[in-house]
Amino acid sequence: MAGVAGGNDFQWCFSQVKGAIDEDVAEADIISTVEFNYSGELLATGDKGGRVVIFQHEQESKSRPHLRGEYNVYSTFQSHEPEFDYLKSLEIEEKINKIRWLPQQNAAHFLLSTNDKTIKLWKISERDKRAEGYNLKDEDGRLRDPFRITSLRVPVLMPMDLMVEASPRRIFANAHTYHINSISVNSDHETYLSADDLRINLWHLEITDRSFNIVDIKPANMEELTEVITAAECHPHQCNVFVYSSSKGTIRLCDMRAAALCDRHSKFFEEPEDPSSRSFFSEIISSISDVKFSHSGRYMMTRDYLSVKVWDLNMENRPVETYQVHEYLRSKLCSLYENDCIFDKFECCWNGSDSAIMTGSYNNFFRMFDRNTRRDITLEASRESSKPRATLKPRKVSTGGKRKKDEISVDSLDFNKKILHTAWHPKDNVIAVAATNNLYIFQDKIN
Amino acid sequence: MSATSTAMEVNAEARRILAVSISKLYASRTQRGGLRLHRSLLVSLVMRSARDIYHASRESEAPGAPTPQEPMDSSPSSEEQKQLPPQEAEPAQTEPQCALSPAPQTAVEAEECACDSEITEDKENMSPAARQSRKRRSKASAAPDFLPSKRARLEPGEERYAAPLGSCRVGAAETHGDLHQRVPGHSDDSGWVKTTEIDPLTGTRTETERPWKFEGETGSVS
């Protein structure tokens, strides 16, 4: 059966998997964020251990031009270390919450990575030449005896093995009291925003010792707290516009030209709740875990626990499209509350042309929705279907009484295997899916 | 008949969810990375829903009962008593230790705002013996009295020792005098701090003055 994306019939095939095969998963290896850069040449992952691994797309080999190239490790570095705030007696986790690439402006690549409290700007640069023939130093770096120097020479650049260096260029710290959940680079390429549970700050990439607070929803009396900020993003083209989502299922669009403090929104997006589906957990499942603008900037997509919604920025009272990700879980909310799965924060992403969207689910399933044909498909990221260029078979969860062959019943889903982070290549049909400690890369068969 | 059994199921479900929620809030105190405000808020919202539904189902079960909240005296209150006191003791313990840093404070206050109304009802309906059990458990591990609040940074517009912001327990203290608490004192520039202690049984307030000092500093006022 053909896959679904972009209006044509695509077939998703396994390309690569990165990470240990070992059943025993070290907590530090769990991938916590995945992000392609603007060209799609680089793919960055962050993990709970505070490390960043960057993969680079190799050029297609001349002998097999019909195959896309593979992603291989380009650079690995420790971005954040665990810290202890002695004054507050709080441990600060080193887990990388988000990575966002900056648009490339020169030979080096820049990315922002953040943990709960500190954002860092990293420069990743290549070095493939080395200067040789210094006058005052030997080749191994030792100082030459001045009396031995009888002539002057000009050092020459000699080729060397490629070395990729990552260095922290800016550290943006001490601006967030609560846990940072989002960072987003502005379209002006000079500023970016960072959001925690109650506040959003606007930074300049060059200035680390201060930031502007542009949203503050902290109530005067914390006992009156009813909602928190869950995600925020800058508009892809309008550098004065950003959105932030809340735990109450609402999205606010703000215009930075209107006021210095954007507590008052320009637009307020909320879908009225269906009273018939009210339960103990209605509030939890309406909490938005991710918000993403479309590449066009005309739409935005939000992910709550059971569904993905596409909103037209011009219509505030309801989404234009709603896709059910795993509606069969609605009757299981109590168990999911007890095992904490109901608090899982799933992300969502657009494809390059905004014609399809993707999000993760449990049992290492992930879902894709074609916005034009309204078709959807469920695929699985597993080692079993990991033969090179093997086409992924669509999966189905049986919801009714009778379970068909090849279907999986809801009760046999593995809720420890959750796909929270996915990324879609900005131009091609290549996707990266993080399944706990493994990173799967899938491509479409047709070139 | 079926309505009653459904109401009872809802009742039992609500109680179970309440118990699970309380244990989650309690467990989240020891989580690495500090209290998660979002998660604590969601859990407290669920607790509130469960509590509302529990009361609504009890009312529908026994309409016209003299005190609709009386059921809190029976088993749910005993299990909540077991669970709430550790939760109450914990904020009390952590208050002097990790003190009044905003993150744990706010999450505790998120918990407090969910628990507050429960505590109010419990207070009304609990016997004096039960009330006594809500005392702070491990007083020995609390930090010494002479240490001031250790919050590192003032929020903009805040003053040090302003009562509502100085302690996550103040709100509770103002409304629930039965809990043994420290109300953070007010200081003037003299360097002396007044503290007010409220006796849980008699409700009498005693005020003491002590020199305000950090660890390592002497008590003298300069």
Side-chain angles (χ1 to χ4, degrees), chain A residues 48 82 86-95 97 116-117 174-179 197-199 218 220-230 246-247 278-281 283-284 287-288 334 337-340 343 345, chain B residues 10 13-14 16-17 20-21 24 32-39 41-43 45-51 53 97-99 101-107 109-110 112-113 116 150 152-153 155-156 158 165 168 170-172:
Chain A
K48 278 194 170 183
Y86 293 97
L87 282 173
K88 300 177 188 176
S89 290
L90 278 182
E91 192 176 0
I92 300 169
E93 276 189 295
E94 66 277 28
K95 173 169 86 95
N97 291 336
D116 284 336
K117 297 287 182 182
N174 300 322
H176 285 280
T177 309
Y178 304 97
H179 296 116
D197 291 321
L198 296 178
R199 298 191 176 102
K218 183 177 183 204
N221 182 3
M222 278 301 289
E223 293 184 14
E224 293 163 17
L225 180 75
T226 54
E227 70 181 321
V228 297
I229 297 168
T230 53
S246 82
S247 54
R278 186 118 183 82
S279 76
F280 286 118
F281 309 103
E283 278 140 336
I284 298 191
S287 175
I288 291 173
C334 196
Y337 179 69
E338 286 177 38
N339 66 13
D340 279 351
F343 300 105
K345 295 187 182 164
Chain B
V10 168
E13 180 81 351
R16 196 163 69 86
I17 289 174
V20 166
S21 305
K24 277 191 198 302
R32 206 175 157 238
L35 270 164
R36 299 274 155 189
L37 184 64
H38 182 200
R39 190 192 146 105
L41 179 68
L42 292 178
V43 173
L45 289 173
V46 168
M47 272 175 61
R48 207 177 285 177
S49 298
R51 191 203 63 210
I53 290 172
Q97 285 160 19
C98 71
S101 50
Q105 170 190 356
T106 54
E109 288 182 25
E112 287 286 341
C113 75
D116 274 350
K150 274 200 268 181
R153 191 168 64 226
E155 299 288 298
E158 277 177 10
L165 299 164
C168 54
V170 171

Side-chain angles (χ1 to χ4, degrees), chain A residues 170-323:
Chain A
R170 306 270 185 278
I171 296 181
F172 305 91
N174 300 322
H176 285 280
T177 309
Y178 304 97
H179 296 116
I180 296 174
N181 52 57
S182 310
I183 48 174
S184 179
V185 181
N186 209 344
S187 54
D188 62 9
H189 302 166
E190 285 187 349
T191 57
Y192 74 94
L193 61 77
S194 59
D196 66 29
D197 291 321
L198 296 178
R199 298 191 176 102
I200 301 179
N201 293 332
L202 183 72
W203 300 84
H204 192 283
L205 284 165
E206 298 291 327
I207 299 169
T208 58
D209 61 353
R210 54 185 180 277
S211 64
F212 286 106
N213 174 246
I214 52 177
V215 173
D216 188 341
I217 63 167
K218 183 177 183 204
N221 182 3
M222 278 301 289
E223 293 184 14
E224 293 163 17
L225 180 75
T226 54
E227 70 181 321
V228 297
I229 297 168
T230 53
E233 200 181 39
C234 291
H235 192 277
H237 309 306
Q238 297 167 30
C239 59
N240 53 296
V241 171
F242 66 95
V243 292
Y244 68 92
S245 60
S246 82
S247 54
K248 275 190 173 172
T250 64
I251 310 102
R252 288 170 176 81
L253 184 143
C254 299
D255 186 336
M256 289 190 267
R257 297 171 303 189
L261 192 58
C262 300
D263 279 357
R264 289 173 57 180
H265 51 262
S266 298
K267 295 197 185 195
F268 182 74
F269 299 85
E270 185 179 31
E271 182 174 31
E273 192 195 349
D274 177 12
S276 63
S277 63
R278 186 118 183 82
S279 76
F280 286 118
F281 309 103
S282 298
E283 278 140 336
I284 298 191
I285 62 170
S286 66
S287 175
I288 291 173
S289 52
D290 194 16
V291 65
K292 291 264 170 49
F293 278 107
S294 64
H295 292 93
S296 64
R298 165 97 191 267
Y299 299 96
M300 67 177 174
M301 165 167 58
T302 57
R303 174 71 156 100
D304 51 68
Y305 190 65
L306 295 179
S307 67
V308 185
K309 296 178 181 174
V310 175
W311 303 77
D312 185 326
L313 292 189
N314 299 316
M315 187 161 77
E316 298 169 54
N317 60 349
R318 60 177 174 81
V320 289
E321 295 151 33
T322 301
Y323 301 94

Side-chain angles (χ1 to χ4, degrees), chain A residues 4 28 74 96 145 211 256 284 344 398:
Chain A
V4 147
Y74 180 65
I96 307 295
D145 191 359
S211 64
M256 289 190 267
I284 298 191
D344 287 336
S398 71

Side-chain angles (χ1 to χ4, degrees), chain A residues 1 3 25-26 32 42 60 112 155 195 201-202 214 240 246 248 258 351 364 369-372 377 417 425 430 439:
Chain A
M1 192 189 132
V25 177
S32 51
L42 298 178
E60 291 86 0
L112 287 169
N201 293 332
L202 183 72
I214 52 177
N240 53 296
S246 82
K248 275 190 173 172
N351 72 340
N364 277 356
F369 303 94
D370 185 324
R371 295 179 63 214
N372 299 325
I377 191 170
K417 292 188 182 169
H425 190 287
V430 177
L439 182 74

